[in-house]
Amino acid sequence: MSELSLDGRVAIVTGAGGGLGRVYALELARAGAQVVVNDVGGSVDGAAAAESPAQAVVEEIEALGGKAIASTDTVATVEGGRSLVRTAVERFGRVDVLVNNAGILRDRSFAKLDWDDFGAVHDVHLRGAAHVTQPAFLQMKEQGYGRLVFVSSNAGTFGNFGQAAYGSAKAGIIGLSNVLAIEGGRDGILSNVVCPIARTRMTESIFAPGTAEPEHVAGLVVYLASEACAVTHQVFSAGAGRYSRVFTGLSEGWVSPDGAPASAEDVARHLEQICDTQRYTVPQSAADELAELSDLLEPAEA
Ligand code: NAI
């Protein structure tokens, strides 16, 4: 058996009726996991469909000899998230892996912001990920084991014109994963983020067929979902055969004399040194950053 086998493991993949999620679900099943294939169906902008494509993916998994069940719960509500996790526990007895992949797009420039669209995008991506993860996290804590895989985007990590709602929700997902990597660590729960680049219906106008396919991303997701996964608290970019780590670094910066408050002029004068990324650290928590300031900061009296 491969050390990356997911035999006996139970995985939930949200938004797995098509695109990247479908391929994640198929590859997790191929690796041995029993999979809850979740999808509400609908168009890229989230307009609901009469039928969910989840059952068709379940049939694909069964045709491979795997075990799967469909869920048509929406991730956009607290109750949808609870119901989805309940389905996994009632049918397969546990939740080992959660891939928070469901997503919609409603792009427009910030100047033309529509608050309903902003809310809908946050409901599916950031709140949606939290709606499913909270009940799954409780189940994983009880088991003393879990693998959380969140899906972000380079629109969130680096920014992209026209994607204020999407980019802010996707950046928020990284914050959520970072906190859960810390909160889940002592209960055997690992939490990581994947930023995919792949040709799906969401991106078919950007990438030609063949070079950046969902299959180029799935191996990383299966690795992060496996017991052998040796990382937590990380963000990865995967697409077109390139696999990279994305990280938030803290430059060495400039320290004002005696830690005195800097004036605006001081900041302007030292901006180059403040922004210089030749020397940096990658703190693994807020406490890590504060530890770097220990010469300058004194804790409050208890
Ligand atoms: P897709 O549109 O094929 O997949 C998204 C799936 O989520 C759809 O099947 C949709 O029905 C489902 N979904 C939407 N709202 C839902 C809800 N409320 N509850 C449950 N399911 C829901 O698009 P794609 O490209 O496969 O996207 C998958 C994820 O990857 C998304 O989170 C997307 O933002 C992210 N992503 C994709 C990139 C790409 O290059 N394709 C780039 C960066 C991020």
Side-chain angles (χ1 to χ4, degrees), residues 158-216:
F158 306 126
N160 199 23
F161 189 93
Q163 295 200 301
Y166 181 77
S168 57
K170 286 306 205 188
I173 283 173
I174 295 174
L176 178 59
S177 175
N178 286 343
V179 170
L180 297 187
I182 293 169
E183 291 191 4
R186 75 186 96 152
D187 292 303
I189 301 170
L190 308 183
S191 187
N192 292 288
V193 181
V194 172
C195 302
I197 298 169
R199 187 174 198 272
T200 66
R201 65 181 190 168
M202 235 184 223
T203 52
E204 62 195 357
S205 61
I206 310 174
F207 309 123
T211 52
E213 296 297 336
E215 285 74 8
H216 286 100

Side-chain angles (χ1 to χ4, degrees), residues 111-127:
K112 295 183 185 147
L113 185 70
D114 175 300
W115 286 110
D116 288 340
D117 285 349
F118 192 89
V121 167
H122 274 248
D123 281 349
V124 174
H125 288 279
L126 178 54
R127 294 181 64 95

Side-chain angles (χ1 to χ4, degrees), residues 15 17-21 38-42 44 73-76 101-104 124-125 151-153 166 170 196-198 200-203 207:
L20 285 150
N38 162 262
D39 208 300
V40 280
V44 172
D73 289 309
T74 178
V75 303
N101 166 80
I104 61 170
V124 174
H125 288 279
V151 175
S152 183
S153 162
Y166 181 77
K170 286 306 205 188
I197 298 169
T200 66
R201 65 181 190 168
M202 235 184 223
T203 52
F207 309 123

